Structures are given as C-alpha cells and as structure tokens.
Amino acid sequence: MKITYEVGSGLYVNTTNRCSNSCDFCVRTTAKDFYGDLWLEREPTKEEILEAILSCDLKKYSEIVFCGYGEPMYRFDDIKYVCKKLRESESVKIRVNTNGQGNLINKRDITPELAGVFDCVSISLNAASAESYEKVCHSIYKEAAYPALLDFAKKAKEYVPRVVLTVVEGTMSDKDIKTCFSLAKSVGVELRVREYISSDSQNK
Ligand code: SF4
C-alpha cells in the first residue's frame, strides 16, 4: 500500500480514494498511473499513516502535503490525529490540498479544528460560478458545493495562517480568472493560478 510519495520537495500523503467530486480532469480517471499505483485497496489506519510518514527522512522535505487520490477531508479526524502526533516530535510544515467540501463531508463546521493542524489549506476553486463548477466537478452536493467551498475558505482563514484558492491555467477565460480573483478577495484569501497537473499537486 503506497501511503506516501514525493512530488518536488514535498512529501505527499495518500489516505483515501473517496471523493465527493468526479472532476472531468481528475488523474484518478485521466492518468491513473501518473504517480504510480496510488489506488488504495483499503484505507490505511491513522496509525499506519503516522508510521508511514515517520519512516521517511522528514528533513529532506519542505512540507508534508495531505492530497492523495481522493479527498483528504473524508479522513479529517484521522489526519488531525496524525498531524497532532507529528507536531509533538517533528518541526514540519503541513498543507492539505482539498476540494473545500470538508464541512459538507463531515456534516459539521470543521474549520475551528483546523487550528494547529495545517499551516496551509489549498482549495481547488476550478470555476468562476456554481454552475460552471458543477459542469466540471460533478459534486454529490450539486450546486451547493461551490458556495460551501467559498464559505469554507473564508472560515478556514480565521484558523489557518495561509488559505489559497487555486484555478488551473488554460481551463478558463481571462474574464473568469478575474472573477476568481475577486471571489478570493471577497473571502479574504489569495488565488493561485496553477499549471495543469502541476508539479506540486496531484489533482487538487
Ligand atoms: S480532482 Fe480532486 S476533487 Fe476532483 S474528483 Fe479528483 S480527487 Fe476529487
């Protein structure tokens, strides 16, 4: 079972295949072998995740990134445990790459619990409106996903030092990118325009 993998200077952590979206561009379907065999036959326990991370030479990495084939917020309670344990013995920067639907997935506002867990929350915005998001990302929450994502970003900013919304270069018009910059500003976070399947993100 491949729980960790390297991308650039980051140590990436794969905890689940599950996702609330079914994005047209997801590497789970478009490039399944892009990072080797990351498809998990079963989800690792929180102890297995911690052990897999601690078995790596953490000094080699600039950050630990919870990303994975699926949406890490499905494993939020376990990831929270792992991060807290890591911080007891290691001086590490920790980021999560998420689709921003963590509050919907966990059926509660988890943003206060992000404090001290992550140094950075990177959220895929992917579109300039709820309608266009749904056309590309096909969330199980339908058009409720997009406003929930923006609300998650706004609330997360109260508890996490850095919150970033991301869009993928070449997938939307300049006008839409401008709209995304305004949306990011309206919720008090930054927007990053990243490359398609960029070197620092598997799929989010
Ligand atoms: S790209 Fe990310 S959010 Fe979209 S389906 Fe894949 S894992 Fe889920």
Side-chain angles (χ1 to χ4, degrees):
M1 178 162 54
K2 195 169 174 182
I3 300 173
T4 61
Y5 56 106
E6 294 181 6
V7 180
S9 62
L11 179 68
Y12 278 57
V13 187
N14 178 28
T15 61
T16 186
N17 302 325
R18 289 181 284 166
C19 189
S20 49
N21 279 357
S22 186
C23 302
D24 290 342
F25 51 81
C26 182
V27 296
R28 295 185 307 165
T29 47
T30 61
K32 218 167 176 174
D33 296 330
F34 194 78
Y35 287 102
D37 184 15
L38 283 177
W39 192 264
L40 297 164
E41 284 173 17
R42 65 168 176 85
E43 291 188 346
T45 64
K46 58 184 192 273
E47 290 83 9
E48 286 173 326
I49 298 167
L50 182 63
E51 194 184 329
I53 295 171
L54 288 174
S55 70
C56 301
D57 179 6
L58 296 182
K59 288 191 293 299
K60 268 175 55 187
Y61 303 103
S62 60
E63 61 181 342
I64 292 171
V65 185
F66 288 88
C67 182
Y69 250 1
E71 167 50 47
M73 289 308 186
Y74 274 95
R75 300 293 311 275
F76 178 62
D77 289 333
D78 291 334
I79 288 173
K80 194 168 60 169
Y81 165 89
V82 170
C83 293
K84 290 194 167 166
K85 283 281 176 199
L86 278 173
R87 292 199 190 282
E88 284 174 11
S89 60
E90 308 293 327
S91 173
V92 284
K93 282 212 154 70
I94 306 176
R95 166 162 56 111
V96 63
N97 287 358
T98 173
N99 65 17
Q101 296 168 33
N103 286 347
L104 295 174
I105 291 165
N106 289 281
K107 299 184 175 64
R108 68 179 194 273
D109 179 9
I110 61 169
T111 56
E113 300 166 57
L114 303 177
V117 174
F118 303 118
D119 300 291
C120 177
V121 174
S122 177
I123 305 166
S124 298
L125 183 61
N126 289 331
S129 70
E131 194 186 359
S132 48
Y133 183 87
E134 181 48 23
K135 272 187 192 151
V136 177
C137 296
H138 316 288
S139 172
I140 59 171
Y141 304 109
K142 308 288 180 194
E143 288 190 14
Y146 193 78
L149 173 170
L150 289 170
D151 184 58
F152 182 81
K154 186 178 181 178
K155 288 179 172 149
K157 190 69 188 81
E158 291 177 38
Y159 303 101
V160 178
R162 187 168 180 226
V163 178
V164 189
L165 290 171
T166 69
V167 292
V168 180
E169 195 176 46
T171 62
M172 58 175 70
S173 67
D174 290 349
K175 186 169 165 262
D176 280 353
I177 287 186
K178 241 179 152 174
T179 303
C180 292
F181 272 108
S182 301
L183 284 167
K185 199 173 171 194
S186 73
V187 295
V189 305
E190 48 186 292
L191 180 87
R192 187 165 73 92
V193 182
R194 63 181 173 85
E195 286 176 33
Y196 181 66
I197 307 184
S198 66
S199 62
D200 68 344
S201 174
Q202 176 237 327
N203 54 12
K204 295 186 178 65

